[in-house]
mmCIF file of all heavy atoms in Angstrom:
data_model
loop_
_atom_site.group_PDB
_atom_site.id
_atom_site.type_symbol
_atom_site.label_atom_id
_atom_site.label_comp_id
_atom_site.label_asym_id
_atom_site.label_seq_id
_atom_site.Cartn_x
_atom_site.Cartn_y
_atom_site.Cartn_z
ATOM 1 N N ARG P 1 -4.061 -0.308 -6.895
ATOM 2 C CA ARG P 1 -3.145 -1.069 -7.755
ATOM 3 C C ARG P 1 -1.733 -1.064 -7.174
ATOM 4 O O ARG P 1 -1.030 -2.087 -7.220
ATOM 5 C CB ARG P 1 -3.155 -0.481 -9.162
ATOM 6 C CG ARG P 1 -4.458 -0.777 -9.913
ATOM 7 C CD ARG P 1 -4.413 -0.299 -11.350
ATOM 8 N NE ARG P 1 -5.596 -0.774 -12.076
ATOM 9 C CZ ARG P 1 -5.612 -1.090 -13.353
ATOM 10 N NH1 ARG P 1 -4.493 -0.998 -14.067
ATOM 11 N NH2 ARG P 1 -6.723 -1.497 -13.942
ATOM 12 N N ALA P 2 -1.336 0.079 -6.643
ATOM 13 C CA ALA P 2 -0.009 0.153 -6.032
ATOM 14 C C ALA P 2 0.057 -0.748 -4.799
ATOM 15 O O ALA P 2 1.099 -1.382 -4.532
ATOM 16 C CB ALA P 2 0.305 1.598 -5.648
ATOM 17 N N LEU P 3 -1.042 -0.830 -4.060
ATOM 18 C CA LEU P 3 -1.098 -1.709 -2.893
ATOM 19 C C LEU P 3 -0.946 -3.171 -3.313
ATOM 20 O O LEU P 3 -0.196 -3.935 -2.681
ATOM 21 C CB LEU P 3 -2.415 -1.488 -2.147
ATOM 22 C CG LEU P 3 -2.663 -2.361 -0.910
ATOM 23 C CD1 LEU P 3 -1.589 -2.120 0.147
ATOM 24 C CD2 LEU P 3 -4.058 -2.076 -0.338
ATOM 25 N N ASP P 4 -1.654 -3.534 -4.383
ATOM 26 C CA ASP P 4 -1.548 -4.913 -4.882
ATOM 27 C C ASP P 4 -0.116 -5.230 -5.314
ATOM 28 O O ASP P 4 0.407 -6.322 -5.040
ATOM 29 C CB ASP P 4 -2.504 -5.125 -6.051
ATOM 30 C CG ASP P 4 -3.966 -5.101 -5.627
ATOM 31 O OD1 ASP P 4 -4.230 -5.285 -4.424
ATOM 32 O OD2 ASP P 4 -4.835 -4.885 -6.498
ATOM 33 N N GLN P 5 0.530 -4.281 -5.971
ATOM 34 C CA GLN P 5 1.908 -4.500 -6.424
ATOM 35 C C GLN P 5 2.857 -4.660 -5.239
ATOM 36 O O GLN P 5 3.763 -5.509 -5.251
ATOM 37 C CB GLN P 5 2.350 -3.337 -7.313
ATOM 38 C CG GLN P 5 1.647 -3.294 -8.663
ATOM 39 C CD GLN P 5 1.899 -1.987 -9.409
ATOM 40 O OE1 GLN P 5 2.645 -1.122 -8.944
ATOM 41 N NE2 GLN P 5 1.280 -1.841 -10.580
ATOM 42 N N ALA P 6 2.655 -3.849 -4.194
ATOM 43 C CA ALA P 6 3.497 -3.947 -3.004
ATOM 44 C C ALA P 6 3.312 -5.297 -2.322
ATOM 45 O O ALA P 6 4.283 -5.919 -1.853
ATOM 46 C CB ALA P 6 3.187 -2.806 -2.041
ATOM 47 N N ARG P 7 2.093 -5.746 -2.274
ATOM 48 C CA ARG P 7 1.821 -7.058 -1.666
ATOM 49 C C ARG P 7 2.479 -8.180 -2.467
ATOM 50 O O ARG P 7 3.092 -9.093 -1.894
ATOM 51 C CB ARG P 7 0.314 -7.285 -1.585
ATOM 52 C CG ARG P 7 -0.399 -6.460 -0.515
ATOM 53 C CD ARG P 7 -1.904 -6.624 -0.659
ATOM 54 N NE ARG P 7 -2.651 -5.972 0.411
ATOM 55 C CZ ARG P 7 -3.982 -5.851 0.397
ATOM 56 N NH1 ARG P 7 -4.683 -6.345 -0.608
ATOM 57 N NH2 ARG P 7 -4.592 -5.260 1.407
ATOM 58 N N GLU P 8 2.337 -8.101 -3.797
ATOM 59 C CA GLU P 8 2.921 -9.138 -4.655
ATOM 60 C C GLU P 8 4.439 -9.172 -4.521
ATOM 61 O O GLU P 8 5.060 -10.236 -4.629
ATOM 62 C CB GLU P 8 2.520 -8.891 -6.116
ATOM 63 C CG GLU P 8 1.044 -9.151 -6.399
ATOM 64 C CD GLU P 8 0.620 -8.680 -7.781
ATOM 65 O OE1 GLU P 8 1.506 -8.264 -8.561
ATOM 66 O OE2 GLU P 8 -0.590 -8.717 -8.087
ATOM 67 N N ALA P 9 5.034 -8.007 -4.289
ATOM 68 C CA ALA P 9 6.488 -7.930 -4.134
ATOM 69 C C ALA P 9 6.927 -8.277 -2.722
ATOM 70 O O ALA P 9 8.134 -8.316 -2.436
ATOM 71 C CB ALA P 9 6.973 -6.531 -4.501
ATOM 72 N N GLY P 10 5.960 -8.507 -1.830
ATOM 73 C CA GLY P 10 6.290 -8.816 -0.447
ATOM 74 C C GLY P 10 6.828 -7.635 0.332
ATOM 75 O O GLY P 10 7.490 -7.808 1.353
ATOM 76 N N ASP P 11 6.542 -6.416 -0.124
ATOM 77 C CA ASP P 11 7.044 -5.201 0.528
ATOM 78 C C ASP P 11 5.998 -4.707 1.532
ATOM 79 O O ASP P 11 5.148 -3.869 1.230
ATOM 80 C CB ASP P 11 7.323 -4.130 -0.537
ATOM 81 C CG ASP P 11 8.073 -2.919 0.012
ATOM 82 O OD1 ASP P 11 8.088 -2.750 1.249
ATOM 83 O OD2 ASP P 11 8.625 -2.153 -0.796
ATOM 84 N N GLU P 12 6.073 -5.204 2.743
ATOM 85 C CA GLU P 12 5.075 -4.877 3.752
ATOM 86 C C GLU P 12 5.148 -3.405 4.179
ATOM 87 O O GLU P 12 4.135 -2.789 4.494
ATOM 88 C CB GLU P 12 5.243 -5.780 4.964
ATOM 89 C CG GLU P 12 4.915 -7.250 4.681
ATOM 90 C CD GLU P 12 5.001 -8.095 5.939
ATOM 91 O OE1 GLU P 12 5.145 -7.514 7.040
ATOM 92 O OE2 GLU P 12 4.917 -9.333 5.811
ATOM 93 N N VAL P 13 6.341 -2.861 4.216
ATOM 94 C CA VAL P 13 6.496 -1.458 4.605
ATOM 95 C C VAL P 13 5.781 -0.554 3.597
ATOM 96 O O VAL P 13 5.029 0.349 3.969
ATOM 97 C CB VAL P 13 7.990 -1.073 4.700
ATOM 98 C CG1 VAL P 13 8.135 0.437 4.934
ATOM 99 C CG2 VAL P 13 8.656 -1.859 5.810
ATOM 100 N N ARG P 14 6.039 -0.820 2.305
ATOM 101 C CA ARG P 14 5.373 -0.020 1.273
ATOM 102 C C ARG P 14 3.866 -0.230 1.307
ATOM 103 O O ARG P 14 3.100 0.727 1.157
ATOM 104 C CB ARG P 14 5.940 -0.402 -0.104
ATOM 105 C CG ARG P 14 5.317 0.334 -1.280
ATOM 106 C CD ARG P 14 5.526 1.823 -1.178
ATOM 107 N NE ARG P 14 4.912 2.539 -2.285
ATOM 108 C CZ ARG P 14 4.372 3.754 -2.188
ATOM 109 N NH1 ARG P 14 4.377 4.399 -1.017
ATOM 110 N NH2 ARG P 14 3.845 4.334 -3.242
ATOM 111 N N ALA P 15 3.436 -1.452 1.516
ATOM 112 C CA ALA P 15 2.002 -1.734 1.583
ATOM 113 C C ALA P 15 1.353 -0.964 2.736
ATOM 114 O O ALA P 15 0.249 -0.412 2.594
ATOM 115 C CB ALA P 15 1.770 -3.228 1.747
ATOM 116 N N HIS P 16 2.051 -0.896 3.866
ATOM 117 C CA HIS P 16 1.528 -0.162 5.021
ATOM 118 C C HIS P 16 1.449 1.337 4.710
ATOM 119 O O HIS P 16 0.475 2.016 5.085
ATOM 120 C CB HIS P 16 2.433 -0.398 6.232
ATOM 121 C CG HIS P 16 1.954 0.283 7.483
ATOM 122 N ND1 HIS P 16 0.896 -0.183 8.231
ATOM 123 C CD2 HIS P 16 2.396 1.419 8.106
ATOM 124 C CE1 HIS P 16 0.704 0.628 9.259
ATOM 125 N NE2 HIS P 16 1.604 1.604 9.204
ATOM 126 N N GLN P 17 2.447 1.873 4.013
ATOM 127 C CA GLN P 17 2.439 3.292 3.641
ATOM 128 C C GLN P 17 1.255 3.606 2.720
ATOM 129 O O GLN P 17 0.572 4.621 2.890
ATOM 130 C CB GLN P 17 3.753 3.655 2.951
ATOM 131 C CG GLN P 17 4.966 3.651 3.873
ATOM 132 C CD GLN P 17 6.270 3.849 3.116
ATOM 133 O OE1 GLN P 17 6.334 3.626 1.897
ATOM 134 N NE2 GLN P 17 7.319 4.255 3.826
ATOM 135 N N ILE P 18 1.038 2.725 1.754
ATOM 136 C CA ILE P 18 -0.053 2.962 0.798
ATOM 137 C C ILE P 18 -1.403 2.879 1.506
ATOM 138 O O ILE P 18 -2.312 3.678 1.238
ATOM 139 C CB ILE P 18 0.025 1.954 -0.362
ATOM 140 C CG1 ILE P 18 1.296 2.190 -1.180
ATOM 141 C CG2 ILE P 18 -1.208 2.065 -1.261
ATOM 142 C CD1 ILE P 18 1.604 1.098 -2.176
ATOM 143 N N GLN P 19 -1.542 1.933 2.404
ATOM 144 C CA GLN P 19 -2.804 1.813 3.129
ATOM 145 C C GLN P 19 -3.070 3.066 3.962
ATOM 146 O O GLN P 19 -4.212 3.519 4.076
ATOM 147 C CB GLN P 19 -2.782 0.577 4.029
ATOM 148 C CG GLN P 19 -4.135 0.250 4.642
ATOM 149 C CD GLN P 19 -4.165 -1.154 5.198
ATOM 150 O OE1 GLN P 19 -3.943 -2.129 4.481
ATOM 151 N NE2 GLN P 19 -4.441 -1.257 6.491
ATOM 152 N N ALA P 20 -2.030 3.648 4.522
ATOM 153 C CA ALA P 20 -2.189 4.902 5.266
ATOM 154 C C ALA P 20 -2.640 6.023 4.326
ATOM 155 O O ALA P 20 -3.473 6.866 4.694
ATOM 156 C CB ALA P 20 -0.877 5.273 5.951
ATOM 157 N N GLU P 21 -2.098 6.047 3.101
ATOM 158 C CA GLU P 21 -2.537 7.044 2.110
ATOM 159 C C GLU P 21 -4.010 6.857 1.778
ATOM 160 O O GLU P 21 -4.746 7.835 1.601
ATOM 161 C CB GLU P 21 -1.692 6.921 0.842
ATOM 162 C CG GLU P 21 -0.252 7.395 0.987
ATOM 163 C CD GLU P 21 0.501 7.306 -0.343
ATOM 164 O OE1 GLU P 21 -0.028 7.796 -1.365
ATOM 165 O OE2 GLU P 21 1.603 6.713 -0.362
ATOM 166 N N ILE P 22 -4.433 5.623 1.668
ATOM 167 C CA ILE P 22 -5.855 5.344 1.391
ATOM 168 C C ILE P 22 -6.716 5.849 2.546
ATOM 169 O O ILE P 22 -7.750 6.500 2.336
ATOM 170 C CB ILE P 22 -6.060 3.829 1.163
ATOM 171 C CG1 ILE P 22 -5.359 3.382 -0.123
ATOM 172 C CG2 ILE P 22 -7.552 3.491 1.101
ATOM 173 C CD1 ILE P 22 -5.264 1.874 -0.290
ATOM 174 N N ASP P 23 -6.290 5.537 3.782
ATOM 175 C CA ASP P 23 -7.068 5.945 4.962
ATOM 176 C C ASP P 23 -7.170 7.455 5.088
ATOM 177 O O ASP P 23 -8.161 7.972 5.622
ATOM 178 C CB ASP P 23 -6.440 5.367 6.234
ATOM 179 C CG ASP P 23 -6.636 3.867 6.360
ATOM 180 O OD1 ASP P 23 -7.537 3.328 5.670
ATOM 181 O OD2 ASP P 23 -5.883 3.232 7.132
ATOM 182 N N HIS P 24 -6.157 8.180 4.616
ATOM 183 C CA HIS P 24 -6.130 9.641 4.755
ATOM 184 C C HIS P 24 -6.347 10.353 3.419
ATOM 185 O O HIS P 24 -5.993 11.527 3.272
ATOM 186 C CB HIS P 24 -4.802 10.077 5.374
ATOM 187 C CG HIS P 24 -4.596 9.580 6.762
ATOM 188 N ND1 HIS P 24 -3.908 8.414 7.047
ATOM 189 C CD2 HIS P 24 -5.021 10.054 7.971
ATOM 190 C CE1 HIS P 24 -3.899 8.200 8.352
ATOM 191 N NE2 HIS P 24 -4.562 9.179 8.934
ATOM 192 N N HIS P 25 -6.950 9.673 2.482
ATOM 193 C CA HIS P 25 -7.173 10.264 1.157
ATOM 194 C C HIS P 25 -8.062 11.504 1.265
ATOM 195 O O HIS P 25 -9.115 11.477 1.921
ATOM 196 C CB HIS P 25 -7.836 9.243 0.224
ATOM 197 C CG HIS P 25 -8.164 9.788 -1.130
ATOM 198 N ND1 HIS P 25 -9.430 10.222 -1.480
ATOM 199 C CD2 HIS P 25 -7.377 9.984 -2.220
ATOM 200 C CE1 HIS P 25 -9.409 10.646 -2.721
ATOM 201 N NE2 HIS P 25 -8.186 10.517 -3.195
#
């Protein structure tokens, strides 16, 4: 959900950070 919100806000840096959290969960 946080990833979707970052994408909707156009925040690519935040989206990349969240995706890294997902990959290293």
Side-chain angles (χ1 to χ4, degrees):
R1 288 185 172 213
L3 178 61
D4 291 341
Q5 290 169 3
R7 287 172 174 172
E8 290 170 6
D11 190 343
E12 293 184 9
V13 173
R14 179 61 181 146
H16 182 76
Q17 290 173 340
I18 294 169
Q19 190 164 301
E21 289 183 50
I22 293 168
D23 288 342
H24 296 94
H25 177 261

